[in-house]
């Protein structure tokens, strides 16, 4: 039998880090995952999927990721029940993450605005925080002239 879930999406809020009475870290979070098709209005709907991770993964997630951060989760689907405060049985379905991948650097999702990844943000940071080595003239800058390369110069 097989029970495997792989998701890529954005955190809908900051992860909720807690500790069990035995001191084991557990983080609950929800990620928004776009559906692969558009609705009748031409927009993509998203599914909001509850997830949980344990121990070091939970602490790392809470320390380095926040609302809007893009992450990947590899885990399994799990259902559980408990008795609610009103005495009724509550059913919960969630993804228990075995592995969480950080797909953006810390803080890049908030500061990059509408950009789809952290690449453009990192590129802008390199332009504003240049060190002396980066201030040298770019040898690959296109000045409109053809580049003279022989076949012997190519690595393949």
């Amino acid at each position: 039998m097989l029970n495997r879930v792989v998701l890529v999406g954005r955190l809908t809020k900051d992860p909720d880090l807690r500790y069990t009475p035995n001191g084991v870290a557990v983080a609950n979070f929800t990620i928004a995952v776009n559906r692969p098709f558009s609705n009748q209005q031409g927009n993509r709907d998203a599914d909001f999927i509850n997830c949980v991770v344990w121990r070091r993964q939970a602490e790392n997630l809470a320390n380095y990721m926040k609302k809007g951060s893009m992450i990947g989760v590899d885990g399994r689907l799990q259902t559980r029940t408990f008795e609610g405060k009103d005495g009724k049985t509550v059913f919960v379905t969630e993804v228990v993450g075995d592995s969480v991948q950080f797909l953006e650097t810390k803080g890049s999702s908030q500061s990059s605005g509408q950009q789809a990844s952290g690449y453009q943000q990192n590129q802008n940071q390199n332009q504003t925080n240049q060190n002396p080595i980066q201030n040298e003239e770019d040898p690959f800058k296109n000045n409109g002239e053809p580049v003279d390369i022989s076949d012997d110069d190519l690595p393949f």
Side-chain angles (χ1 to χ4, degrees):
M1 292 182 236
L2 181 65
N3 180 358
R4 202 91 214 129
V5 177
V6 178
L7 302 169
V8 174
R10 293 195 180 272
L11 291 171
T12 61
K13 60 184 175 187
D14 292 350
D16 180 24
L17 179 65
R18 297 180 185 193
Y19 290 89
T20 66
N22 294 335
V24 179
V26 58
N28 292 303
F29 59 98
T30 303
I31 61 173
V33 179
N34 285 339
R35 292 183 180 173
F37 51 86
S38 300
N39 61 21
Q40 291 179 342
Q41 292 77 30
N43 300 322
R44 284 212 170 165
D45 290 330
D47 292 305
F48 299 92
I49 301 172
N50 295 324
C51 302
V52 61
V53 290
W54 293 84
R55 296 176 181 75
R56 193 71 183 157
Q57 296 260 359
E59 292 176 326
N60 287 338
L61 181 69
N63 288 332
Y64 296 106
M65 296 288 108
K66 59 184 177 181
K67 178 181 177 179
S69 297
M70 185 174 290
I71 63 168
V73 178
D74 180 14
R76 59 189 169 82
L77 200 59
Q78 175 178 289
T79 58
R80 59 185 172 89
T81 60
F82 63 92
E83 189 174 313
K85 293 179 181 177
D86 58 359
K88 293 185 179 180
T89 301
V90 178
F91 294 89
V92 177
T93 302
E94 59 196 358
V95 173
V96 178
D98 297 326
S99 171
V100 176
Q101 300 293 315
F102 302 161
L103 302 178
E104 292 182 320
T105 58
K106 185 176 181 180
S108 66
S109 63
Q110 295 295 344
S111 58
S112 63
Q114 296 293 325
Q115 296 169 0
S117 72
Y119 171 75
Q120 186 68 37
Q121 172 65 20
N122 293 340
Q123 187 178 29
N124 290 340
Q125 285 177 348
N126 288 341
Q127 291 172 355
T128 57
N129 299 332
Q130 293 181 349
N131 61 35
I133 295 172
Q134 291 174 326
N135 287 335
E136 295 176 8
E137 186 174 334
D138 183 3
F140 301 105
K141 185 176 179 182
N142 183 6
N143 60 1
E145 297 177 15
V147 177
D148 185 26
I149 297 178
S150 72
D151 288 343
D152 295 334
D153 294 331
L154 299 175
F156 46 89

